[in-house]
Amino acid sequence: MGPFVLMQRPDTRPRVPSGDDWMSGTAPLPSATVRPALEPIDFQDLLIGTLPPPQKDGSLQLVVGRAPDCDVIVPDPAVSLKHAAILWDGRSGLLRELGSANGTFLNGIRIGSRAVLRTGDELSFGQSHFVYLLSGELHARLLKGK
């Protein structure tokens, strides 16, 4: 297991419609002045994906997007091909925007070019939502059963 995990929240809200060739362009997010708050869900209901360990120098870059060569592939038409990246320097994570069409959100706020990550942060790419946890926090939550 890597130094951190991204856990995708199941999303039961209606999705942006996708055309026949949704890989060719990014669909816009539905217009809304305020993004709806995500309903709390139980920890055991999250879908968990683990990451590889960092490279020898302690760094890790994880690219998130729709493209098949991304490290985390998000099949959401509102996600850009190369949407965002998470950089790990051996001690902490940094969320970096890669010029996505719909922006990258951290705890419901659109980031500029980058933002420091803290365990428990909510990341949103298109209409897909993830929770960022350090591996130690994941282990602690699993042991508690929460």
Side-chain angles (χ1 to χ4, degrees):
M1 180 180 293
F4 63 90
V5 295
L6 286 179
M7 299 182 306
Q8 187 169 10
R9 285 181 164 275
D11 192 357
T12 57
R13 294 177 296 163
R15 306 219 27 112
V16 168
S18 62
D20 293 332
D21 188 18
W22 64 275
M23 285 297 288
S24 63
T26 303
L29 286 171
S31 60
T33 55
V34 177
R35 290 187 179 270
L38 294 173
E39 294 293 322
I41 61 169
D42 291 327
F43 182 77
Q44 61 270 16
D45 292 335
L46 294 171
L47 306 172
I48 300 173
T50 61
L51 307 172
Q55 299 175 13
K56 290 181 182 179
D57 68 357
S59 67
L60 174 73
Q61 176 170 303
L62 190 79
V63 177
V64 178
R66 272 193 350 261
D69 61 338
C70 288
D71 300 302
V72 176
I73 300 169
V74 183
D76 174 345
V79 170
S80 294
L81 292 175
K82 303 279 182 172
H83 199 99
I86 296 174
L87 308 168
W88 178 260
D89 67 4
R91 294 176 308 188
S92 62
L94 181 74
L95 179 61
R96 190 177 76 181
E97 166 64 40
L98 297 179
S100 67
N102 291 314
T104 299
F105 292 80
L106 175 62
N107 299 320
I109 300 169
R110 187 175 185 155
I111 68 167
S113 61
R114 60 186 55 143
V116 175
L117 292 170
R118 290 171 182 59
T119 195
D121 278 344
E122 182 89 30
L123 311 176
S124 300
F125 315 107
Q127 293 189 89
S128 299
H129 306 281
F130 294 80
V131 175
Y132 170 87
L133 286 177
L134 297 177
S135 294
E137 175 72 14
L138 173 65
H139 291 146
R141 289 186 184 200
L142 290 172
L143 288 172
K144 285 186 202 175
K146 295 183 179 184

PDB file of all heavy atoms in Angstrom, residues 46-64:
ATOM      1  N   LEU A  46     -17.571   3.116   1.292  1.00  0.00           N
ATOM      2  CA  LEU A  46     -16.676   3.731   0.324  1.00  0.00           C
ATOM      3  C   LEU A  46     -15.965   2.660  -0.495  1.00  0.00           C
ATOM      4  O   LEU A  46     -15.638   1.585   0.007  1.00  0.00           O
ATOM      5  CB  LEU A  46     -15.638   4.607   1.038  1.00  0.00           C
ATOM      6  CG  LEU A  46     -16.181   5.834   1.742  1.00  0.00           C
ATOM      7  CD1 LEU A  46     -15.089   6.485   2.575  1.00  0.00           C
ATOM      8  CD2 LEU A  46     -16.741   6.822   0.754  1.00  0.00           C
ATOM      9  N   LEU A  47     -15.716   2.980  -1.766  1.00  0.00           N
ATOM     10  CA  LEU A  47     -14.943   2.104  -2.627  1.00  0.00           C
ATOM     11  C   LEU A  47     -13.482   2.509  -2.483  1.00  0.00           C
ATOM     12  O   LEU A  47     -13.133   3.658  -2.701  1.00  0.00           O
ATOM     13  CB  LEU A  47     -15.390   2.254  -4.085  1.00  0.00           C
ATOM     14  CG  LEU A  47     -16.878   2.056  -4.325  1.00  0.00           C
ATOM     15  CD1 LEU A  47     -17.226   2.427  -5.755  1.00  0.00           C
ATOM     16  CD2 LEU A  47     -17.264   0.629  -4.033  1.00  0.00           C
ATOM     17  N   ILE A  48     -12.609   1.567  -2.114  1.00  0.00           N
ATOM     18  CA  ILE A  48     -11.234   1.903  -1.773  1.00  0.00           C
ATOM     19  C   ILE A  48     -10.277   1.382  -2.832  1.00  0.00           C
ATOM     20  O   ILE A  48     -10.349   0.229  -3.237  1.00  0.00           O
ATOM     21  CB  ILE A  48     -10.846   1.309  -0.400  1.00  0.00           C
ATOM     22  CG1 ILE A  48     -11.769   1.879   0.686  1.00  0.00           C
ATOM     23  CG2 ILE A  48      -9.382   1.584  -0.078  1.00  0.00           C
ATOM     24  CD1 ILE A  48     -11.598   1.251   2.042  1.00  0.00           C
ATOM     25  N   GLY A  49      -9.383   2.241  -3.289  1.00  0.00           N
ATOM     26  CA  GLY A  49      -8.300   1.857  -4.180  1.00  0.00           C
ATOM     27  C   GLY A  49      -6.992   2.265  -3.554  1.00  0.00           C
ATOM     28  O   GLY A  49      -6.864   3.354  -3.009  1.00  0.00           O
ATOM     29  N   THR A  50      -6.000   1.388  -3.564  1.00  0.00           N
ATOM     30  CA  THR A  50      -4.711   1.716  -2.967  1.00  0.00           C
ATOM     31  C   THR A  50      -3.718   2.101  -4.051  1.00  0.00           C
ATOM     32  O   THR A  50      -3.905   1.786  -5.222  1.00  0.00           O
ATOM     33  CB  THR A  50      -4.168   0.521  -2.154  1.00  0.00           C
ATOM     34  OG1 THR A  50      -4.000  -0.581  -3.037  1.00  0.00           O
ATOM     35  CG2 THR A  50      -5.104   0.154  -1.022  1.00  0.00           C
ATOM     36  N   LEU A  51      -2.659   2.748  -3.649  1.00  0.00           N
ATOM     37  CA  LEU A  51      -1.656   3.254  -4.564  1.00  0.00           C
ATOM     38  C   LEU A  51      -0.337   2.520  -4.374  1.00  0.00           C
ATOM     39  O   LEU A  51      -0.078   1.973  -3.309  1.00  0.00           O
ATOM     40  CB  LEU A  51      -1.447   4.749  -4.307  1.00  0.00           C
ATOM     41  CG  LEU A  51      -2.719   5.575  -4.325  1.00  0.00           C
ATOM     42  CD1 LEU A  51      -2.426   6.983  -3.877  1.00  0.00           C
ATOM     43  CD2 LEU A  51      -3.311   5.558  -5.709  1.00  0.00           C
ATOM     44  N   PRO A  52       0.512   2.562  -5.391  1.00  0.00           N
ATOM     45  CA  PRO A  52       1.825   1.942  -5.233  1.00  0.00           C
ATOM     46  C   PRO A  52       2.684   2.738  -4.265  1.00  0.00           C
ATOM     47  O   PRO A  52       2.422   3.914  -4.012  1.00  0.00           O
ATOM     48  CB  PRO A  52       2.408   1.994  -6.654  1.00  0.00           C
ATOM     49  CG  PRO A  52       1.706   3.132  -7.297  1.00  0.00           C
ATOM     50  CD  PRO A  52       0.334   3.182  -6.691  1.00  0.00           C
ATOM     51  N   PRO A  53       3.745   2.115  -3.730  1.00  0.00           N
ATOM     52  CA  PRO A  53       4.631   2.875  -2.837  1.00  0.00           C
ATOM     53  C   PRO A  53       5.364   3.975  -3.607  1.00  0.00           C
ATOM     54  O   PRO A  53       5.466   3.918  -4.830  1.00  0.00           O
ATOM     55  CB  PRO A  53       5.609   1.820  -2.320  1.00  0.00           C
ATOM     56  CG  PRO A  53       5.436   0.629  -3.176  1.00  0.00           C
ATOM     57  CD  PRO A  53       4.127   0.736  -3.890  1.00  0.00           C
ATOM     58  N   PRO A  54       5.891   4.966  -2.885  1.00  0.00           N
ATOM     59  CA  PRO A  54       6.608   6.042  -3.569  1.00  0.00           C
ATOM     60  C   PRO A  54       7.879   5.529  -4.239  1.00  0.00           C
ATOM     61  O   PRO A  54       8.383   4.456  -3.916  1.00  0.00           O
ATOM     62  CB  PRO A  54       6.919   7.030  -2.456  1.00  0.00           C
ATOM     63  CG  PRO A  54       6.736   6.312  -1.186  1.00  0.00           C
ATOM     64  CD  PRO A  54       5.832   5.150  -1.445  1.00  0.00           C
ATOM     65  N   GLN A  55       8.399   6.324  -5.165  1.00  0.00           N
ATOM     66  CA  GLN A  55       9.649   5.983  -5.828  1.00  0.00           C
ATOM     67  C   GLN A  55      10.797   6.063  -4.836  1.00  0.00           C
ATOM     68  O   GLN A  55      10.627   6.500  -3.701  1.00  0.00           O
ATOM     69  CB  GLN A  55       9.863   6.930  -7.006  1.00  0.00           C
ATOM     70  CG  GLN A  55       8.756   6.814  -8.036  1.00  0.00           C
ATOM     71  CD  GLN A  55       8.902   7.840  -9.146  1.00  0.00           C
ATOM     72  OE1 GLN A  55       9.925   8.479  -9.304  1.00  0.00           O
ATOM     73  NE2 GLN A  55       7.859   7.987  -9.936  1.00  0.00           N
ATOM     74  N   LYS A  56      11.992   5.669  -5.253  1.00  0.00           N
ATOM     75  CA  LYS A  56      13.143   5.639  -4.350  1.00  0.00           C
ATOM     76  C   LYS A  56      13.427   6.997  -3.710  1.00  0.00           C
ATOM     77  O   LYS A  56      13.881   7.062  -2.581  1.00  0.00           O
ATOM     78  CB  LYS A  56      14.378   5.140  -5.090  1.00  0.00           C
ATOM     79  CG  LYS A  56      14.296   3.669  -5.430  1.00  0.00           C
ATOM     80  CD  LYS A  56      15.530   3.199  -6.140  1.00  0.00           C
ATOM     81  CE  LYS A  56      15.352   1.728  -6.496  1.00  0.00           C
ATOM     82  NZ  LYS A  56      16.507   1.203  -7.219  1.00  0.00           N
ATOM     83  N   ASP A  57      13.169   8.087  -4.433  1.00  0.00           N
ATOM     84  CA  ASP A  57      13.411   9.412  -3.860  1.00  0.00           C
ATOM     85  C   ASP A  57      12.263   9.870  -2.951  1.00  0.00           C
ATOM     86  O   ASP A  57      12.282  10.971  -2.422  1.00  0.00           O
ATOM     87  CB  ASP A  57      13.665  10.448  -4.955  1.00  0.00           C
ATOM     88  CG  ASP A  57      12.436  10.736  -5.814  1.00  0.00           C
ATOM     89  OD1 ASP A  57      11.374  10.100  -5.620  1.00  0.00           O
ATOM     90  OD2 ASP A  57      12.541  11.605  -6.699  1.00  0.00           O
ATOM     91  N   GLY A  58      11.257   9.026  -2.773  1.00  0.00           N
ATOM     92  CA  GLY A  58      10.130   9.344  -1.901  1.00  0.00           C
ATOM     93  C   GLY A  58       9.002  10.060  -2.606  1.00  0.00           C
ATOM     94  O   GLY A  58       7.970  10.320  -2.013  1.00  0.00           O
ATOM     95  N   SER A  59       9.173  10.389  -3.881  1.00  0.00           N
ATOM     96  CA  SER A  59       8.140  11.132  -4.591  1.00  0.00           C
ATOM     97  C   SER A  59       7.177  10.207  -5.317  1.00  0.00           C
ATOM     98  O   SER A  59       7.500   9.068  -5.617  1.00  0.00           O
ATOM     99  CB  SER A  59       8.777  12.108  -5.585  1.00  0.00           C
ATOM    100  OG  SER A  59       9.412  11.395  -6.618  1.00  0.00           O
ATOM    101  N   LEU A  60       6.020  10.738  -5.581  1.00  0.00           N
ATOM    102  CA  LEU A  60       4.981  10.007  -6.295  1.00  0.00           C
ATOM    103  C   LEU A  60       4.117  11.036  -7.001  1.00  0.00           C
ATOM    104  O   LEU A  60       3.810  12.081  -6.425  1.00  0.00           O
ATOM    105  CB  LEU A  60       4.126   9.214  -5.301  1.00  0.00           C
ATOM    106  CG  LEU A  60       2.898   8.490  -5.817  1.00  0.00           C
ATOM    107  CD1 LEU A  60       3.294   7.264  -6.623  1.00  0.00           C
ATOM    108  CD2 LEU A  60       2.016   8.071  -4.657  1.00  0.00           C
ATOM    109  N   GLN A  61       3.784  10.765  -8.250  1.00  0.00           N
ATOM    110  CA  GLN A  61       2.805  11.610  -8.945  1.00  0.00           C
ATOM    111  C   GLN A  61       1.718  10.701  -9.448  1.00  0.00           C
ATOM    112  O   GLN A  61       1.984   9.744 -10.146  1.00  0.00           O
ATOM    113  CB  GLN A  61       3.416  12.386 -10.105  1.00  0.00           C
ATOM    114  CG  GLN A  61       2.333  13.169 -10.850  1.00  0.00           C
ATOM    115  CD  GLN A  61       2.875  14.145 -11.855  1.00  0.00           C
ATOM    116  OE1 GLN A  61       3.659  15.002 -11.502  1.00  0.00           O
ATOM    117  NE2 GLN A  61       2.453  14.014 -13.094  1.00  0.00           N
ATOM    118  N   LEU A  62       0.517  11.022  -9.096  1.00  0.00           N
ATOM    119  CA  LEU A  62      -0.642  10.245  -9.477  1.00  0.00           C
ATOM    120  C   LEU A  62      -1.545  11.127 -10.320  1.00  0.00           C
ATOM    121  O   LEU A  62      -2.062  12.121  -9.826  1.00  0.00           O
ATOM    122  CB  LEU A  62      -1.374   9.800  -8.206  1.00  0.00           C
ATOM    123  CG  LEU A  62      -2.463   8.791  -8.404  1.00  0.00           C
ATOM    124  CD1 LEU A  62      -1.853   7.410  -8.557  1.00  0.00           C
ATOM    125  CD2 LEU A  62      -3.400   8.823  -7.235  1.00  0.00           C
ATOM    126  N   VAL A  63      -1.717  10.791 -11.598  1.00  0.00           N
ATOM    127  CA  VAL A  63      -2.542  11.591 -12.497  1.00  0.00           C
ATOM    128  C   VAL A  63      -3.956  11.019 -12.512  1.00  0.00           C
ATOM    129  O   VAL A  63      -4.150   9.810 -12.668  1.00  0.00           O
ATOM    130  CB  VAL A  63      -1.946  11.627 -13.919  1.00  0.00           C
ATOM    131  CG1 VAL A  63      -2.851  12.405 -14.869  1.00  0.00           C
ATOM    132  CG2 VAL A  63      -0.554  12.241 -13.888  1.00  0.00           C
ATOM    133  N   VAL A  64      -4.940  11.911 -12.353  1.00  0.00           N
ATOM    134  CA  VAL A  64      -6.353  11.553 -12.336  1.00  0.00           C
ATOM    135  C   VAL A  64      -7.005  12.112 -13.589  1.00  0.00           C
ATOM    136  O   VAL A  64      -6.807  13.281 -13.923  1.00  0.00           O
ATOM    137  CB  VAL A  64      -7.050  12.134 -11.081  1.00  0.00           C
ATOM    138  CG1 VAL A  64      -8.539  11.815 -11.087  1.00  0.00           C
ATOM    139  CG2 VAL A  64      -6.391  11.654  -9.809  1.00  0.00           C
TER     140      VAL A  64
END
